[in-house]
Amino acid sequence: MAPETKVNGINIDQLFSTIDLLKEKPELAKCKFRATNKWIDGAHSRATVKDFYGPGKEDTSRAPVSYDLDEPEVLLGTNHGSNPVEYLLVALSGCITTALVAHAAAKKIPVRGVESRFEGDIDLRGFLGMSEDVPVGYQEIRVYFKIDADISDEQKEDLVRMGVKYSPVANTIKSQTPLSVQLEK
Amino acid sequence: MAPETKVNGINIDQLFSTIDLLKEKPELAKCKFRATNKWIDGAHSRATVKDFYGPGKEDTSRAPVSYDLDEPEVLLGTNHGSNPVEYLLVALSGCITTALVAHAAAKKIPVRGVESRFEGDIDLRGFLGMSEDVPVGYQEIRVYFKIDADISDEQKEDLVRMGVKYSPVANTIKSQTPLSVQLEK
């Protein structure tokens, strides 16, 4: 048996055989990801991630992981965790990074290191309902990537573009993603 | 001195005095939130949240908090953490919850409990670049809230609507938020 081919820690044999499988059976590409949340007090809540659906079946094999969300005191919280808009940047950071590294692996471009910074602008008057003219969400998010690899700056810029293009979180943020919200009685 | 008025753990005296202050000095409403990320291996990266800007100054008082992001093995990862699209739901969950509870507090509606579930659909063919017709991001996110409070179902539905309307993360997801991405050389 040939040894597994790994580039950037990604098993590219598995990657390409997954692509072949999904060409034949596109229904296996459908995943559902989930989280639950329980309010604690004030701005403090606790989210939990455990099960998901995909590919083709429910997966309950992972242990649950919980995340505390809160606000710093200056923003009316009790500082028990990062705030929700910071978690959004955490999500975005991991997503572009993985997309970048995986697409580099698919092109057999080894990278030694990837570091990035994320910053977004919020105007608190939106959250506080003080003006309909002030956006409630991030007005803009700026992203800065550093890549350590033996490739040209142009190739690095290509990798960053692919990271954004194929990042599910970046695309969820950049497009108008439908949210359906219900009260359970 | 009068005691602080708290509803749902939110200091509503501080909330209303913040609103008064921001009416006079809207520049104090401008915040910048941040995260950094360092790729570890494969789909595994580590994000860190620490400083932010606002209101009116840099805040470096918080200790750094780190988050591991990865994918389960069935999605080509090594299972060192929740995946980026799950972190996005974590962010969304805390954000709608806080907005709901804070706006209930501002209306002096006490709530005993808030629980919620989040589920979103991803088609892996988008991430894998297999088809330009398949959305890369979440196709839809469904949200289900349960509120324990001595109010009517209609009032609970109002609270859920306000939670979404004033949630920065929900609005970032629902609208086309600009992402500016740069390579640092």
Side-chain angles (χ1 to χ4, degrees):
Chain A
M1 230 173 90
E4 290 174 345
T5 309
K6 283 206 174 188
V7 180
N8 304 331
I10 303 277
N11 182 333
I12 58 173
D13 295 340
Q14 193 190 347
L15 178 62
F16 288 120
S17 65
T18 300
I19 290 172
D20 287 341
L21 176 68
L22 297 181
K23 276 181 195 158
E24 273 179 54
K25 299 186 173 174
E27 70 277 11
L28 289 181
K30 291 185 194 306
C31 293
K32 292 180 203 294
F33 296 102
R34 299 169 185 141
T36 59
N37 187 290
K38 192 169 170 15
W39 173 57
I40 311 284
D41 196 29
H44 182 199
S45 71
R46 186 168 294 143
T48 301
V49 171
K50 182 175 164 29
D51 52 288
F52 65 97
Y53 176 85
K57 64 178 180 56
E58 283 294 327
D59 190 314
T60 56
S61 65
R62 296 183 306 173
V65 187
S66 288
Y67 301 96
D68 280 69
L69 302 106
D70 198 352
E71 296 286 345
E73 288 176 20
V74 69
L75 298 175
L76 297 163
T78 49
N79 205 23
H80 282 91
S82 303
N83 78 15
V85 292
E86 291 170 330
Y87 272 96
L88 183 82
L89 298 183
V90 166
L92 181 63
S93 77
C95 202
I96 300 180
T97 299
T98 297
L100 188 163
V101 166
H103 281 267
K107 296 194 168 206
K108 298 189 180 155
I109 299 171
V111 298
R112 277 185 297 271
V114 181
E115 287 187 30
S116 51
R117 302 185 286 123
F118 299 76
E119 183 177 77
D121 307 320
I122 295 271
D123 189 313
L124 295 178
R125 292 175 298 164
F127 169 79
L128 293 167
M130 291 174 59
S131 163
E132 298 288 321
D133 300 330
V134 173
V136 176
Y138 272 123
Q139 296 176 320
E140 186 193 62
I141 298 172
R142 292 171 296 279
V143 180
Y144 306 91
F145 265 90
K146 271 189 193 172
I147 300 174
D148 180 11
D150 295 326
I151 53 175
S152 68
D153 283 348
E154 202 173 45
Q155 285 175 295
K156 289 180 185 177
E157 276 167 354
D158 259 1
L159 288 184
V160 170
R161 265 193 294 274
M162 287 209 297
V164 176
K165 181 174 180 184
Y166 295 114
S167 158
V169 172
N171 282 277
T172 300
I173 289 172
K174 284 169 67 180
S175 50
Q176 293 179 308
T177 303
L179 274 189
S180 125
V181 187
Q182 280 181 47
L183 177 71
E184 289 191 310
K185 290 168 192 171
Chain B
M1 228 173 89
E4 291 174 345
T5 310
K6 283 205 175 191
V7 180
N8 303 333
I10 303 277
N11 183 332
I12 58 173
D13 295 338
Q14 192 190 349
L15 178 62
F16 288 121
S17 64
T18 299
I19 290 172
D20 288 339
L21 177 66
L22 296 182
K23 276 180 196 159
E24 273 178 54
K25 299 186 175 177
E27 69 278 11
L28 289 180
K30 292 186 192 308
C31 293
K32 292 180 203 294
F33 296 102
R34 299 171 186 139
T36 59
N37 186 289
K38 194 170 170 11
W39 173 57
I40 311 283
D41 196 29
H44 182 200
S45 70
R46 186 168 295 142
T48 302
V49 171
K50 180 172 165 32
D51 51 287
F52 65 97
Y53 176 86
K57 64 177 180 62
E58 283 294 326
D59 190 314
T60 56
S61 65
R62 298 184 306 174
V65 187
S66 288
Y67 301 96
D68 279 69
L69 303 106
D70 199 352
E71 296 286 344
E73 288 177 18
V74 69
L75 299 175
L76 298 162
T78 49
N79 206 24
H80 282 89
S82 303
N83 78 15
V85 293
E86 291 170 330
Y87 272 96
L88 182 84
L89 298 181
V90 166
L92 181 63
S93 77
C95 202
I96 300 179
T97 299
T98 297
L100 187 163
V101 166
H103 281 267
K107 295 194 169 205
K108 297 190 181 154
I109 300 172
V111 299
R112 278 185 297 272
V114 182
E115 287 186 31
S116 51
R117 302 186 287 122
F118 298 76
E119 182 177 78
D121 306 319
I122 295 272
D123 189 313
L124 294 178
R125 292 174 299 165
F127 170 78
L128 293 168
M130 291 174 59
S131 163
E132 298 288 320
D133 301 331
V134 174
V136 176
Y138 272 123
Q139 296 176 321
E140 186 193 63
I141 297 172
R142 293 171 295 280
V143 180
Y144 306 91
F145 265 90
K146 271 189 192 170
I147 299 173
D148 180 12
D150 295 326
I151 54 176
S152 68
D153 284 347
E154 203 173 44
Q155 285 175 296
K156 289 180 184 178
E157 276 168 354
D158 259 0
L159 288 185
V160 170
R161 266 193 293 274
M162 286 209 296
V164 176
K165 181 173 180 184
Y166 295 113
S167 157
V169 173
N171 282 277
T172 301
I173 289 172
K174 283 169 69 182
S175 50
Q176 294 180 306
T177 303
L179 275 189
S180 123
V181 187
Q182 280 181 47
L183 177 71
E184 290 191 310
K185 291 171 193 172

